[in-house]
Amino acid sequence: MGLFHSIDEALSGHGHDCTCDTCMEEHHDHGHHHGFDGVMLWRLGIAAVLFLAGLFTETPYPAVSLCLDILAILIAGYDVFLRAGANIVRRRLFDESLLMSIVAVASVVIGEASEGASVMILYQLGELFQGYAVARVRRNIEGLMEDRSPETGAILRDVRADRGDKGRTQEFITHFARIYTPAVLLIAAAIAVISPLVLKTTVTEGIYRALVLMVIACPCAIVISVPLTCFAGIGGATKQGILFKSSAAMDAAARTGAVVFDKSGALQDERLRVVAVKSERMEQDVLLRIAAHASAYSESPRAEAIKAAYQGVIYIELIQSFTEDPGEGVAVTVDGVEVLLGTEAFVTGRGVDPGEDRLSEDCVYLSIDGKYAGRILFGAVAKPDVSGAVTVLSWERDRRIAMITEDSAAAAEKFARSVGIGQYYADCDAEGKVAVVRDIRSRQLKKGSLLFVGRAETDEDCMQAADVGVSLNGASSDAAIRAADVVVMDGSPSRVVTAIEAAKHTRSIVRQNIAFALGFKLVILLLDMLGACPLWLAVFADVGVALLAVLNSLRAFLVKDTVLPEE
């Protein structure tokens, strides 16, 4: 599921097996952390002057030209030769340093020293720009991470410790890097041997074609840009308050085929809301006004809901006495009138009989001067952006949207219909919720991955059973850090849409880079077979493609906020 294992791998070494100059962890970043490497610029400048001098002296003074070209190769690429030697000692035989070293030396041997000099200068110039671009991406994301809250920092530390399973794309890149380079080297050796025998070319021309092929052998553009793209995608999502703990989660989210919401943990507004007022002796708005005055000094969730529903002015001077039994109710004197407001047990314990108006649902009863006056019913209300989020998620063909809840079937159906969810599972305890998630994932899901959305504290088992667990309660607990694959800091369900779109956007850029790099290398290969590709063009194409792929990776930063349809 992951394009690289973790953020830390991208910061320290891209998280792949490539040992090319930009990719190696031991490699000194050309871009440093502040700008271009001044020493490398001077080296390339001197090497370029020597190369040009060698071109001008090639005809009248070939020996001088040869010396100038060799000197240009050594000044521009001595570190490349050193890395190639070090990699041979480490048994890393198939890396770009070794390829460039072979090309440079072989160019001198076959009498094309100027080609070898141009190859080394262009290669190092490309590495310079490429390293600078990579370093800048790292700086931007590191700065973004540092700007987040301490709670976010806890998640990021967990990400750095994460070493999750490789995903599909990462597995592809790993196998590709291991097979591609040695395969191309074998083909290059075959071309060097077969061309003079079959195509009747000169030995020098056969070797030259083999060298061109070797230049394009390292899959640097792919193995750099793929993890960098995912790293940028994680950074872009972080700007929107969405924290992917690994690229594995991002890769799976891009393939979301089902979204399962826990009602209380994801869809329901945590605040109680007044959903109905039933009055026995007066108008409903009058009863609500009396209840609001009775609740004036209470800070209980029910009292806050009553005052929010009233939305009028509460005249504190009318309240002459106030007594509260926490969790049960209040006894208040309002403008000389005795008012009781509380649970059934609270009012009946004080001699008030609601008669047949008793409910098992969440409500409070009101009495005035010892006589029952009515009740106020509370209920679950969806978060403001739930309906819009469900609508957008449903646009994807064959994607399942489901809700699980411990509520009764009637309550579950009413709530699900109000937000546009057609599939719901009621009367589910903790084990029942896990069973539903597993059933949808194993039997009902046609393709893609299952994304579960809830609260990490109460839904940890469901998150473990799903392909991707999304916590909407931010980094408020160790459970969120431990259980969730994705953490939404502000708790908005619409951020689930943003997370999926960010993941799909990142995957799209990864595929673009892979297709572009392989396609361009194929073109160079065909030109080489036709004998129409000089060494300098092969190097320019190789480093140019890598640089363009890196720059294209930056587009993954551009994660847009979700625009929900108007209801």
Side-chain angles (χ1 to χ4, degrees):
M1 283 181 289
L3 307 182
F4 63 86
H5 283 159
S6 67
I7 286 181
D8 187 56
E9 289 186 355
L11 285 171
S12 61
H14 303 308
H16 55 73
D17 295 330
C18 181
T19 55
C20 65
D21 298 337
T22 302
C23 303
M24 288 178 60
E25 290 185 7
E26 299 86 354
H27 176 50
H28 175 71
D29 231 348
H30 286 313
H32 286 268
H33 289 289
H34 304 287
F36 288 110
D37 184 349
V39 174
M40 177 58 73
L41 286 174
W42 274 104
R43 284 172 53 192
L44 292 179
I46 295 171
V49 171
L50 293 173
F51 168 69
L52 292 174
L55 290 180
F56 283 112
T57 58
E58 187 172 7
T59 300
Y61 307 105
V64 174
S65 176
L66 176 62
C67 292
L68 291 173
D69 287 332
I70 293 176
L71 193 57
I73 291 173
L74 293 176
I75 291 176
Y78 74 85
D79 53 335
V80 177
F81 291 110
L82 292 177
R83 282 194 297 273
N87 288 337
I88 291 175
V89 173
R90 298 188 187 108
R91 296 183 180 180
R92 295 175 177 174
L93 300 181
F94 303 114
D95 79 303
E96 199 164 50
S97 297
L98 180 60
L99 295 178
M100 292 299 108
S101 300
I102 293 174
V103 169
V105 172
S107 298
V108 175
V109 172
I110 65 174
E112 297 289 346
S114 60
E115 290 271 18
S118 66
V119 163
M120 192 60 72
I121 292 171
L122 282 173
Y123 170 71
Q124 290 285 63
L125 185 63
E127 287 289 297
L128 182 70
F129 280 97
Q130 184 175 288
Y132 175 74
V134 171
R136 183 162 185 171
V137 170
R138 292 176 184 171
R139 281 202 312 276
N140 289 343
I141 300 180
E142 286 172 334
L144 178 65
M145 300 308 186
E146 290 171 0
D147 290 339
R148 307 302 300 183
S149 66
E151 292 176 340
T152 308
I155 290 183
L156 296 177
R157 287 191 296 273
D158 185 69
V159 171
R160 290 186 172 93
D162 179 39
R163 290 296 182 269
D165 294 337
K166 289 185 178 182
R168 297 181 178 182
T169 309
Q170 179 64 24
E171 288 287 356
F172 166 76
I173 294 302
T174 300
H175 292 302
F176 180 83
R178 290 175 179 171
I179 297 172
Y180 174 79
T181 301
V184 174
L185 285 176
L186 290 175
I187 295 174
I191 290 177
V193 174
I194 295 174
S195 291
L197 298 177
V198 178
L199 302 178
K200 306 302 181 182
T201 63
T202 63
V203 174
T204 299
E205 186 178 352
I207 295 176
Y208 190 90
R209 290 187 178 183
L211 294 179
V212 172
L213 187 60
M214 289 172 63
V215 168
I216 62 174
C218 184
C220 195
I222 297 176
V223 293
I224 291 176
S225 65
V226 167
L228 189 62
T229 300
C230 193
F231 190 27
I234 290 176
T238 302
K239 289 191 297 183
Q240 297 294 338
I242 303 164
L243 303 180
F244 284 91
K245 286 176 58 178
S246 70
S247 61
M250 176 166 276
D251 197 31
R255 298 180 287 104
T256 299
V259 181
V260 179
F261 291 98
D262 177 63
K263 172 178 172 285
S264 59
L267 305 178
Q268 181 177 311
D269 196 315
E270 294 181 358
R271 295 172 298 175
L272 282 176
R273 299 288 180 88
V274 173
V275 295
V277 176
K278 181 178 180 182
S279 177
E280 297 289 332
R281 301 166 52 190
M282 62 196 72
E283 296 293 329
Q284 292 182 352
D285 58 341
V286 175
L287 186 142
L288 186 60
R289 182 165 68 246
I290 295 173
H293 280 75
S295 305
Y297 288 115
S298 176
E299 296 181 354
S300 71
R302 291 170 177 169
E304 295 295 336
I306 290 172
K307 288 181 282 188
Y310 172 54
Q311 294 183 336
V313 178
I314 296 178
Y315 299 96
I316 299 297
E317 63 273 13
L318 296 179
I319 303 172
Q320 296 159 346
S321 67
F322 176 87
T323 303
E324 183 172 16
D325 185 356
E328 294 297 325
V330 295
V332 188
T333 301
V334 181
D335 197 21
V337 177
E338 298 295 327
V339 178
L340 295 177
L341 179 68
T343 63
E344 179 185 353
F346 181 81
V347 296
T348 56
R350 287 161 176 77
V352 177
D353 183 12
E356 297 181 357
D357 201 23
R358 290 177 170 85
L359 293 175
S360 60
E361 299 176 80
D362 189 5
C363 67
V364 292
Y365 300 88
L366 181 75
S367 74
I368 300 175
D369 283 337
K371 296 182 179 180
Y372 179 64
R375 58 178 166 80
I376 298 174
L377 179 65
F378 305 95
V381 178
K383 294 179 180 179
D385 58 343
V386 170
S387 296
V390 170
T391 298
V392 176
L393 289 171
S394 302
W395 287 345
E396 186 80 19
R397 186 178 180 183
D398 295 330
R399 178 181 287 165
R400 286 183 172 272
I401 312 295
M403 181 190 79
I404 54 179
T405 178
E406 61 275 8
D407 292 352
S408 64
E413 180 182 13
K414 181 179 179 180
F415 186 92
R417 286 190 175 185
S418 70
V419 297
I421 296 178
Q423 185 177 359
Y424 60 89
Y425 298 85
D427 297 312
C428 294
D429 57 12
E431 293 181 358
K433 290 180 180 181
V434 175
V436 168
V437 171
R438 289 175 176 168
D439 180 72
I440 294 175
R441 185 171 181 264
S442 61
R443 295 197 308 110
Q444 301 182 36
L445 186 60
K446 296 181 179 179
K447 62 178 181 179
S449 56
L450 185 145
L451 190 145
F452 178 85
V453 188
R455 293 178 62 89
E457 291 92 344
T458 56
D459 299 316
E460 181 174 351
D461 291 339
C462 289
M463 291 185 180
Q464 295 296 330
D467 295 301
V468 183
V470 181
S471 176
L472 295 190
N473 58 319
S476 59
S477 69
D478 291 338
I481 298 174
R482 180 180 62 253
D485 302 300
V486 184
V487 178
V488 176
M489 299 303 295
D490 66 0
S492 301
S494 61
R495 296 296 186 187
V496 176
V497 181
T498 305
I500 294 174
E501 292 303 315
K504 291 170 64 177
H505 176 60
T506 300
R507 181 181 63 175
S508 174
I509 295 175
V510 166
R511 290 177 173 177
Q512 291 171 15
N513 284 342
I514 292 175
F516 176 63
L518 292 180
F520 210 94
K521 287 180 181 293
L522 180 60
V523 172
I524 297 299
L525 179 61
L526 293 176
L527 289 175
D528 182 39
M529 290 181 176
L530 297 174
C533 181
L535 273 174
W536 67 265
L537 179 59
V539 174
F540 183 80
D542 185 54
V543 298
V545 167
L547 182 58
L548 290 175
V550 167
L551 294 176
N552 189 45
S553 299
L554 303 184
R555 293 176 48 240
F557 270 123
L558 306 177
V559 176
K560 298 180 181 179
D561 197 4
T562 302
V563 178
L564 300 180
E566 296 183 2
E567 298 186 19

